[in-house]
Amino acid sequence: MKKAIYVTTMLLLTLALFAGCGSSSANEENKNETEAAQVNRITVGFSQLGAESDWRNTNTESMQSAFTKEAGYNLIYKNGQQKQANQITAVRTFIQQDVDYIVLAPATETGWDTVLSEAKEANIPVILVDRRVDTADKSLYSCWVGSDFELEAKKLTAWIKNYTIKRGIAPGELHIVNIQGTMGSTAQIGRTRGLANAARENHWEIISETSGDFTEAKGREVMAALLKRFDNINVVYCENDNMAIGAIDAIESAGGHVGGDIMNGDIMVVSFDGVNKESLEYCKEGKISCIAECNPLHGPRVKALIEALESGNTPEKFNYVDEKIYSSIEDVISVVVDGEKYEVEKPE
């Protein structure tokens, strides 16, 4: 009897031992597969300039959705908090970490030569998104993807011109203030230039230009100050939606009315982006008369550029995205810019 018990016990122990060995072997195999997957992933360091607007947040989400572990990437994300110094530190950190690619959304255009030269020396390709850098050496970055900000401005100012013609408003009747974005950024430069050129060509009056830093709070503050300085403002050209929302709040708080009937006391607000839900609702209502779209969904585009580089191909240096123009005012159904026709769409 004791012998039978002893044999049974030894048999059970032997089975347990083999089972344990099998489990250990499986765990080791899974571990090796996981490590192999990590080794094969492409590491991308992304320096975002900040989170100053809904456009910026949507842009960040697009990048994070594109560069997932499931897609074969390790994404290292750094928020620059609107400070170029923070971004330069982030890029240097990426270089130290020996990432495969650096993606940079620069706060301003100038001041990047040194750190980008360091990335070049480390053989790490740099892809610029949204904004550009002002450098004589274009080899410091592989390529750029983003919007044609001056074209956006041309479309918006063409809409203003067509609208005034339809309504019989003389050019001299326009008294425009420009609430600019972050000074020195590519978006600010292009949108400001586009308005300045249109004003000169059409004999419009720009009575003030001042920065709202692309934020709603600053847009509100700037607009409130402008209303105290000028009593004839009838067009507010906001270089993004968040500033437009702030400006509208300031106008309404001061007892003004926003809309397109500028010959009867309205203040017309026009804007850029078309991402913020509140701004699109304002566009439906006519509080924002027109919005030139700025598409923030760059994640898949940057991913495609990296895939091209991984395949040994050379992508185009500058990659522009297609964009629309929105208005719920039916006076203007299309605009023509540089020989190209753009239909004006109603915001959804």
Side-chain angles (χ1 to χ4, degrees):
M1 183 67 179
K2 287 182 179 181
K3 185 177 180 181
I5 293 173
Y6 173 79
V7 171
T8 303
T9 302
M10 291 302 294
L11 180 60
L12 290 173
L13 287 172
T14 301
L15 290 173
L17 178 62
F18 278 109
C21 289
S23 176
S24 175
S25 176
N27 289 338
E28 188 66 28
E29 185 177 338
N30 291 335
K31 180 182 177 182
N32 290 338
E33 289 177 359
T34 301
E35 289 176 351
Q38 290 175 344
V39 169
N40 291 330
R41 288 192 191 117
I42 297 170
T43 300
V44 176
F46 174 39
S47 174
Q48 178 63 281
L49 69 92
E52 81 286 356
S53 65
D54 293 280
W55 189 98
R56 187 65 50 195
N57 293 332
T58 303
N59 179 248
T60 298
E61 290 168 5
S62 175
M63 298 291 292
Q64 291 172 330
S65 296
F67 294 105
T68 62
K69 290 182 178 178
E70 292 75 15
Y73 292 89
N74 289 318
L75 179 67
I76 305 172
Y77 167 71
K78 297 289 184 182
N79 182 335
Q81 299 178 329
Q82 280 73 50
K83 295 179 181 178
Q84 185 182 38
N86 291 345
Q87 289 195 278
I88 290 172
T89 299
V91 171
R92 287 193 168 125
T93 300
F94 296 152
I95 294 170
Q96 291 169 358
Q97 293 172 317
D98 195 26
V99 301
D100 297 303
Y101 294 89
I102 293 173
V103 178
L104 172 65
T108 57
E109 290 198 349
T110 58
W112 296 100
D113 293 65
T114 300
V115 73
L116 292 184
S117 294
E118 293 169 14
K120 182 179 178 180
E121 289 171 7
N123 294 315
I124 301 175
V126 174
I127 297 173
L128 303 178
V129 296
D130 179 33
R131 302 176 182 181
R132 296 192 190 182
V133 298
D134 183 6
T135 177
D137 185 359
K138 297 296 189 291
S139 71
L140 294 181
Y141 60 93
S142 294
C143 52
W144 167 89
V145 59
S147 302
D148 187 332
F149 299 109
E150 190 168 350
L151 175 59
E152 292 174 353
K154 286 180 177 180
K155 289 190 283 188
L156 188 54
T157 53
W159 184 92
I160 295 172
K161 179 181 179 180
N162 288 2
Y163 177 79
T164 57
I165 291 172
K166 286 279 188 177
R167 291 288 178 104
I169 301 170
E173 296 291 341
L174 295 188
H175 310 293
I176 304 168
V177 295
N178 180 12
I179 302 181
Q180 300 165 295
T182 302
M183 300 306 294
S185 66
T186 310
Q188 177 272 315
I189 292 169
R191 291 167 184 171
T192 295
R193 184 188 295 127
L195 174 61
N197 289 340
R200 184 177 61 255
E201 292 165 6
N202 297 300
H203 307 290
W204 299 338
E205 180 187 20
I206 300 177
I207 58 179
S208 182
E209 292 182 324
T210 184
S211 176
D213 288 335
F214 285 131
T215 70
E216 182 176 333
K218 190 69 173 177
R220 184 183 299 107
E221 175 189 326
V222 165
M223 191 70 235
L226 288 169
L227 290 169
K228 291 177 181 177
R229 286 180 57 199
F230 305 102
D231 61 4
N232 63 339
I233 298 169
N234 56 14
V235 177
V236 183
Y237 179 96
C238 295
E239 293 187 2
N240 85 338
D241 287 339
N242 289 84
M243 293 189 299
I245 292 168
I248 290 168
D249 186 35
I251 293 166
E252 293 180 336
S253 295
H257 188 269
V258 292
D261 194 5
I262 61 177
M263 297 307 293
N264 288 301
D266 279 0
I267 296 178
M268 174 186 285
V269 176
V270 295
S271 182
F272 296 87
D273 284 357
V275 174
N276 180 286
K277 290 182 179 179
E278 186 176 2
S279 69
L280 289 171
E281 198 60 41
Y282 277 179
C283 193
K284 289 180 187 178
E285 298 171 9
K287 283 189 174 185
I288 296 179
S289 295
C290 187
I291 296 175
E293 182 189 27
C294 184
N295 192 322
L297 304 179
H298 297 336
R301 297 181 176 93
V302 175
K303 183 181 173 185
L305 292 172
I306 288 177
E307 289 172 352
L309 290 167
E310 283 289 297
S311 300
N313 297 318
T314 302
E316 293 291 330
K317 193 72 174 181
F318 301 105
N319 301 272
Y320 293 96
V321 300
D322 294 326
E323 295 170 329
K324 302 175 182 179
I325 183 168
Y326 301 108
S327 178
S328 61
I329 298 174
E330 297 182 353
D331 298 62
V332 181
I333 60 174
S334 65
V335 297
V336 177
V337 176
D338 299 330
E340 187 80 20
K341 184 177 180 180
Y342 300 91
E343 301 295 333
V344 178
E345 301 186 18
K346 290 187 176 181
E348 297 179 356

